[in-house]
Amino acid sequence: MLDLARLRERPDDAAAALRRRDATLGVTEVLRLDERRRAVLVEVEALKKRRNESSREIGAIVKSGRDAGPLREAMRRVGEEITALERELQEIEPALRDVLLRLPNFPDASVPDGTSADDNPVVRTWREPRRFDFEPKAHWDLGADLGILDFERAAKLAGARFALYMGAGARMERALIQLMLDLHTGEHGYLEVIPPFMVNADALRGTGQLPKFEDDLFRVEPGGYYLVPTAEVPLTNIPAGEILEPGTLPLTYAAYTPCFRSEAGSYGKDVRGLIRLHQFNKVELVHVTTPEASFETLERLTSHAEEVLRRLELPYRVVSLCSGDLGFSAAKTYDLEVWLPGQGAYREISSCSNCTDFQARRAGIRFRRETGAKPEFAHTLNGSGLAVGRTLVAVLENYQEEDGSVVVPEALRPYMGGLDRLVRG
């Protein structure tokens, strides 16, 4: 959530920042509602003060034996005015909050301008893509030929955009999860967490999925829970509503969860394979830190996600998302895009974002710099470390051989019981 005081004090700057994101829902409506809310509050307080003073006056009149009827009638009308104004407040305040909840975060000044992914500059690349002396296959063909991926039977069980991992495919998915968790907890210092795979609406509002993106979520009835779209939601909300004492920050969490997304609006895109599923596995990394440390932390978080790709020796590049391609809660984002030879393209495998104080304001995550100091809002960051299914896609396509087998990357072999190659049968 944006800082209302900042919107009020620098409306032109705020409007210009949101225009960079093509956010047309504007500052004007927020300021109109806020101005009316403050005017009503002033009016209510003045009327209540007048009523209190008149109550004392009525007491004195009654005590003197005079008729207090006219003043009582006047105060009755004042009471009706107060009731009407308080009713108006009950309408204004949720309307103001709803507009604020739908405004995206301000892009950082370092974010390049642009309107779509075509405008995202490449920051760096790592490793040249392998040159094949045969026509490389896409992972859906490789997986079917090896008997490790079955999309047809998955569709029979659940419908489109689901997958069955079989045999060595299931083992490789599990091995990738373990490799990522071991790296991030053992070498990068994250605290491993197994969070709930369902969350309430408050948690989703805290990270920015609600109310704007409800159509992308799977809701569970009865109870009103939602399946997690990403572990970012439960991890970021661990300190929600708390004031963290001096010395607590930074917090660093890592978690594996299945993720569930309706993929609303994506029909017709990536209809084959593992790229865009309703259910997929991901290892997520979350930081909660101080404002002055957050952009340095973003660089470190991104390097942690990159290290997984380096260990697996997969070619990738890092792009900086332009203002028009930023996620709702992000002030700055780096995407990691891995090379997929079966598709002849780089595809996103991780997004690493600094959300500054945007999520912390929504979720109420504050900290003290020293004992007794005024609480401040923390900064939150998140990144995929990595999307597991897409990593398996990259392994299959980059390590395929002409005979249809797939070499297992050396870093993954200890997690595969020493298996060094996937073969048919």
Side-chain angles (χ1 to χ4, degrees), residues 306-332:
E306 288 182 72
E307 184 59 25
V308 179
L309 294 170
R310 290 173 181 254
R311 295 287 173 97
L312 294 170
E313 300 182 81
L314 293 169
Y316 71 89
R317 67 186 185 185
V318 180
V319 301
S320 181
L321 298 197
C322 69
S323 56
D325 200 31
L326 281 178
F328 180 77
S329 297
K332 184 173 184 175

mmCIF file of all heavy atoms in Angstrom, residues 306-332:
data_model
loop_
_atom_site.group_PDB
_atom_site.id
_atom_site.type_symbol
_atom_site.label_atom_id
_atom_site.label_comp_id
_atom_site.label_asym_id
_atom_site.label_seq_id
_atom_site.Cartn_x
_atom_site.Cartn_y
_atom_site.Cartn_z
ATOM 1 N N GLU A 306 20.558 -16.968 -9.109
ATOM 2 C CA GLU A 306 21.466 -17.265 -10.209
ATOM 3 C C GLU A 306 22.360 -18.461 -9.909
ATOM 4 O O GLU A 306 22.697 -19.246 -10.806
ATOM 5 C CB GLU A 306 22.350 -16.050 -10.503
ATOM 6 C CG GLU A 306 21.654 -14.889 -11.169
ATOM 7 C CD GLU A 306 22.626 -13.761 -11.453
ATOM 8 O OE1 GLU A 306 23.469 -13.926 -12.363
ATOM 9 O OE2 GLU A 306 22.564 -12.724 -10.754
ATOM 10 N N GLU A 307 22.759 -18.600 -8.650
ATOM 11 C CA GLU A 307 23.693 -19.658 -8.294
ATOM 12 C C GLU A 307 23.129 -21.045 -8.588
ATOM 13 O O GLU A 307 23.870 -21.966 -8.930
ATOM 14 C CB GLU A 307 24.094 -19.548 -6.819
ATOM 15 C CG GLU A 307 25.149 -20.543 -6.363
ATOM 16 C CD GLU A 307 26.462 -20.444 -7.138
ATOM 17 O OE1 GLU A 307 26.771 -19.370 -7.690
ATOM 18 O OE2 GLU A 307 27.189 -21.470 -7.195
ATOM 19 N N VAL A 308 21.814 -21.209 -8.478
ATOM 20 C CA VAL A 308 21.210 -22.498 -8.816
ATOM 21 C C VAL A 308 21.468 -22.811 -10.289
ATOM 22 O O VAL A 308 21.859 -23.929 -10.646
ATOM 23 C CB VAL A 308 19.698 -22.503 -8.521
ATOM 24 C CG1 VAL A 308 19.088 -23.858 -8.900
ATOM 25 C CG2 VAL A 308 19.415 -22.190 -7.057
ATOM 26 N N LEU A 309 21.260 -21.842 -11.152
ATOM 27 C CA LEU A 309 21.483 -22.038 -12.585
ATOM 28 C C LEU A 309 22.949 -22.300 -12.884
ATOM 29 O O LEU A 309 23.292 -23.107 -13.757
ATOM 30 C CB LEU A 309 20.984 -20.823 -13.357
ATOM 31 C CG LEU A 309 19.470 -20.588 -13.299
ATOM 32 C CD1 LEU A 309 19.110 -19.230 -13.883
ATOM 33 C CD2 LEU A 309 18.728 -21.688 -14.044
ATOM 34 N N ARG A 310 23.827 -21.630 -12.155
ATOM 35 C CA ARG A 310 25.260 -21.841 -12.356
ATOM 36 C C ARG A 310 25.670 -23.248 -11.929
ATOM 37 O O ARG A 310 26.481 -23.908 -12.602
ATOM 38 C CB ARG A 310 26.073 -20.796 -11.590
ATOM 39 C CG ARG A 310 25.964 -19.392 -12.176
ATOM 40 C CD ARG A 310 26.637 -18.355 -11.291
ATOM 41 N NE ARG A 310 26.506 -17.014 -11.842
ATOM 42 C CZ ARG A 310 27.494 -16.331 -12.423
ATOM 43 N NH1 ARG A 310 28.695 -16.873 -12.531
ATOM 44 N NH2 ARG A 310 27.285 -15.110 -12.888
ATOM 45 N N ARG A 311 25.133 -23.706 -10.795
ATOM 46 C CA ARG A 311 25.463 -25.071 -10.345
ATOM 47 C C ARG A 311 25.005 -26.107 -11.375
ATOM 48 O O ARG A 311 25.663 -27.127 -11.567
ATOM 49 C CB ARG A 311 24.795 -25.351 -9.000
ATOM 50 C CG ARG A 311 25.286 -24.496 -7.841
ATOM 51 C CD ARG A 311 26.674 -24.896 -7.383
ATOM 52 N NE ARG A 311 27.196 -23.970 -6.389
ATOM 53 C CZ ARG A 311 27.140 -24.169 -5.063
ATOM 54 N NH1 ARG A 311 26.578 -25.273 -4.578
ATOM 55 N NH2 ARG A 311 27.641 -23.271 -4.231
ATOM 56 N N LEU A 312 23.880 -25.836 -12.001
ATOM 57 C CA LEU A 312 23.359 -26.762 -13.011
ATOM 58 C C LEU A 312 23.950 -26.487 -14.396
ATOM 59 O O LEU A 312 23.633 -27.204 -15.353
ATOM 60 C CB LEU A 312 21.837 -26.642 -13.070
ATOM 61 C CG LEU A 312 21.099 -27.105 -11.802
ATOM 62 C CD1 LEU A 312 19.630 -26.727 -11.873
ATOM 63 C CD2 LEU A 312 21.256 -28.611 -11.589
ATOM 64 N N GLU A 313 24.785 -25.449 -14.503
ATOM 65 C CA GLU A 313 25.459 -25.077 -15.749
ATOM 66 C C GLU A 313 24.457 -24.844 -16.884
ATOM 67 O O GLU A 313 24.630 -25.324 -18.001
ATOM 68 C CB GLU A 313 26.492 -26.129 -16.133
ATOM 69 C CG GLU A 313 27.572 -26.321 -15.063
ATOM 70 C CD GLU A 313 28.633 -27.325 -15.467
ATOM 71 O OE1 GLU A 313 29.547 -26.926 -16.228
ATOM 72 O OE2 GLU A 313 28.544 -28.485 -15.035
ATOM 73 N N LEU A 314 23.434 -24.057 -16.579
ATOM 74 C CA LEU A 314 22.398 -23.727 -17.546
ATOM 75 C C LEU A 314 22.587 -22.292 -18.038
ATOM 76 O O LEU A 314 22.716 -21.367 -17.230
ATOM 77 C CB LEU A 314 21.018 -23.869 -16.910
ATOM 78 C CG LEU A 314 20.600 -25.295 -16.526
ATOM 79 C CD1 LEU A 314 19.337 -25.272 -15.679
ATOM 80 C CD2 LEU A 314 20.392 -26.150 -17.783
ATOM 81 N N PRO A 315 22.610 -22.058 -19.334
ATOM 82 C CA PRO A 315 22.763 -20.696 -19.853
ATOM 83 C C PRO A 315 21.554 -19.837 -19.466
ATOM 84 O O PRO A 315 20.411 -20.270 -19.568
ATOM 85 C CB PRO A 315 22.810 -20.890 -21.379
ATOM 86 C CG PRO A 315 23.050 -22.355 -21.585
ATOM 87 C CD PRO A 315 22.474 -23.055 -20.406
ATOM 88 N N TYR A 316 21.824 -18.605 -19.043
ATOM 89 C CA TYR A 316 20.730 -17.726 -18.642
ATOM 90 C C TYR A 316 21.147 -16.275 -18.832
ATOM 91 O O TYR A 316 22.315 -15.959 -19.066
ATOM 92 C CB TYR A 316 20.314 -17.980 -17.183
ATOM 93 C CG TYR A 316 21.331 -17.502 -16.154
ATOM 94 C CD1 TYR A 316 21.285 -16.204 -15.646
ATOM 95 C CD2 TYR A 316 22.357 -18.337 -15.719
ATOM 96 C CE1 TYR A 316 22.209 -15.764 -14.726
ATOM 97 C CE2 TYR A 316 23.289 -17.900 -14.794
ATOM 98 C CZ TYR A 316 23.216 -16.615 -14.298
ATOM 99 O OH TYR A 316 24.150 -16.177 -13.387
ATOM 100 N N ARG A 317 20.165 -15.416 -18.720
ATOM 101 C CA ARG A 317 20.439 -13.985 -18.713
ATOM 102 C C ARG A 317 19.574 -13.323 -17.643
ATOM 103 O O ARG A 317 18.553 -13.873 -17.219
ATOM 104 C CB ARG A 317 20.154 -13.360 -20.084
ATOM 105 C CG ARG A 317 18.693 -13.359 -20.495
ATOM 106 C CD ARG A 317 18.526 -12.846 -21.917
ATOM 107 N NE ARG A 317 17.105 -12.720 -22.280
ATOM 108 C CZ ARG A 317 16.669 -12.378 -23.492
ATOM 109 N NH1 ARG A 317 17.562 -12.128 -24.458
ATOM 110 N NH2 ARG A 317 15.375 -12.271 -23.734
ATOM 111 N N VAL A 318 20.004 -12.142 -17.209
ATOM 112 C CA VAL A 318 19.266 -11.352 -16.221
ATOM 113 C C VAL A 318 18.762 -10.097 -16.921
ATOM 114 O O VAL A 318 19.543 -9.396 -17.572
ATOM 115 C CB VAL A 318 20.164 -10.961 -15.026
ATOM 116 C CG1 VAL A 318 19.374 -10.128 -14.013
ATOM 117 C CG2 VAL A 318 20.740 -12.210 -14.359
ATOM 118 N N VAL A 319 17.472 -9.835 -16.805
ATOM 119 C CA VAL A 319 16.904 -8.619 -17.382
ATOM 120 C C VAL A 319 16.307 -7.774 -16.264
ATOM 121 O O VAL A 319 15.846 -8.302 -15.247
ATOM 122 C CB VAL A 319 15.834 -8.929 -18.453
ATOM 123 C CG1 VAL A 319 16.419 -9.748 -19.580
ATOM 124 C CG2 VAL A 319 14.618 -9.635 -17.849
ATOM 125 N N SER A 320 16.335 -6.479 -16.443
ATOM 126 C CA SER A 320 15.702 -5.548 -15.504
ATOM 127 C C SER A 320 14.339 -5.171 -16.056
ATOM 128 O O SER A 320 14.247 -4.657 -17.176
ATOM 129 C CB SER A 320 16.571 -4.304 -15.329
ATOM 130 O OG SER A 320 15.978 -3.406 -14.415
ATOM 131 N N LEU A 321 13.282 -5.453 -15.307
ATOM 132 C CA LEU A 321 11.944 -5.177 -15.820
ATOM 133 C C LEU A 321 11.707 -3.676 -15.936
ATOM 134 O O LEU A 321 12.021 -2.907 -15.021
ATOM 135 C CB LEU A 321 10.878 -5.792 -14.922
ATOM 136 C CG LEU A 321 10.878 -7.312 -14.767
ATOM 137 C CD1 LEU A 321 9.537 -7.785 -14.201
ATOM 138 C CD2 LEU A 321 11.160 -8.023 -16.079
ATOM 139 N N CYS A 322 11.135 -3.289 -17.056
ATOM 140 C CA CYS A 322 10.816 -1.870 -17.271
ATOM 141 C C CYS A 322 9.580 -1.500 -16.462
ATOM 142 O O CYS A 322 8.877 -2.355 -15.915
ATOM 143 C CB CYS A 322 10.605 -1.598 -18.754
ATOM 144 S SG CYS A 322 9.115 -2.355 -19.440
ATOM 145 N N SER A 323 9.282 -0.216 -16.404
ATOM 146 C CA SER A 323 8.208 0.283 -15.552
ATOM 147 C C SER A 323 6.857 -0.331 -15.904
ATOM 148 O O SER A 323 6.047 -0.616 -15.015
ATOM 149 C CB SER A 323 8.130 1.812 -15.642
ATOM 150 O OG SER A 323 7.962 2.217 -17.000
ATOM 151 N N GLY A 324 6.595 -0.568 -17.184
ATOM 152 C CA GLY A 324 5.314 -1.113 -17.584
ATOM 153 C C GLY A 324 5.183 -2.603 -17.417
ATOM 154 O O GLY A 324 4.088 -3.146 -17.577
ATOM 155 N N ASP A 325 6.284 -3.286 -17.088
ATOM 156 C CA ASP A 325 6.264 -4.747 -16.942
ATOM 157 C C ASP A 325 6.427 -5.187 -15.493
ATOM 158 O O ASP A 325 6.448 -6.386 -15.213
ATOM 159 C CB ASP A 325 7.385 -5.357 -17.801
ATOM 160 C CG ASP A 325 7.162 -6.832 -18.100
ATOM 161 O OD1 ASP A 325 5.988 -7.254 -18.193
ATOM 162 O OD2 ASP A 325 8.162 -7.576 -18.241
ATOM 163 N N LEU A 326 6.553 -4.225 -14.578
ATOM 164 C CA LEU A 326 6.724 -4.565 -13.162
ATOM 165 C C LEU A 326 5.487 -5.244 -12.594
ATOM 166 O O LEU A 326 4.358 -4.924 -12.966
ATOM 167 C CB LEU A 326 6.982 -3.298 -12.342
ATOM 168 C CG LEU A 326 8.372 -2.687 -12.339
ATOM 169 C CD1 LEU A 326 8.355 -1.414 -11.505
ATOM 170 C CD2 LEU A 326 9.411 -3.658 -11.798
ATOM 171 N N GLY A 327 5.712 -6.173 -11.660
ATOM 172 C CA GLY A 327 4.607 -6.737 -10.906
ATOM 173 C C GLY A 327 3.978 -5.700 -9.998
ATOM 174 O O GLY A 327 4.588 -4.674 -9.670
ATOM 175 N N PHE A 328 2.761 -5.968 -9.563
ATOM 176 C CA PHE A 328 1.952 -5.009 -8.817
ATOM 177 C C PHE A 328 2.664 -4.462 -7.582
ATOM 178 O O PHE A 328 2.648 -3.256 -7.324
ATOM 179 C CB PHE A 328 0.640 -5.693 -8.413
ATOM 180 C CG PHE A 328 -0.303 -4.836 -7.633
ATOM 181 C CD1 PHE A 328 -1.076 -3.871 -8.257
ATOM 182 C CD2 PHE A 328 -0.442 -4.993 -6.262
ATOM 183 C CE1 PHE A 328 -1.963 -3.076 -7.547
ATOM 184 C CE2 PHE A 328 -1.320 -4.209 -5.539
ATOM 185 C CZ PHE A 328 -2.085 -3.249 -6.177
ATOM 186 N N SER A 329 3.304 -5.335 -6.799
ATOM 187 C CA SER A 329 3.885 -4.921 -5.521
ATOM 188 C C SER A 329 5.336 -4.472 -5.622
ATOM 189 O O SER A 329 5.894 -3.967 -4.650
ATOM 190 C CB SER A 329 3.791 -6.072 -4.504
ATOM 191 O OG SER A 329 2.449 -6.402 -4.238
ATOM 192 N N ALA A 330 5.945 -4.649 -6.772
ATOM 193 C CA ALA A 330 7.390 -4.445 -6.899
ATOM 194 C C ALA A 330 7.753 -3.002 -7.209
ATOM 195 O O ALA A 330 7.083 -2.323 -7.996
ATOM 196 C CB ALA A 330 7.953 -5.358 -7.979
ATOM 197 N N ALA A 331 8.854 -2.541 -6.601
ATOM 198 C CA ALA A 331 9.458 -1.263 -6.965
ATOM 199 C C ALA A 331 10.582 -1.472 -7.978
ATOM 200 O O ALA A 331 10.878 -0.587 -8.783
ATOM 201 C CB ALA A 331 10.009 -0.558 -5.730
ATOM 202 N N LYS A 332 11.198 -2.651 -7.936
ATOM 203 C CA LYS A 332 12.238 -3.004 -8.904
ATOM 204 C C LYS A 332 12.332 -4.520 -8.967
ATOM 205 O O LYS A 332 12.251 -5.191 -7.932
ATOM 206 C CB LYS A 332 13.597 -2.414 -8.509
ATOM 207 C CG LYS A 332 14.701 -2.685 -9.549
ATOM 208 C CD LYS A 332 15.984 -1.943 -9.226
ATOM 209 C CE LYS A 332 17.026 -2.161 -10.319
ATOM 210 N NZ LYS A 332 18.250 -1.355 -10.092
#
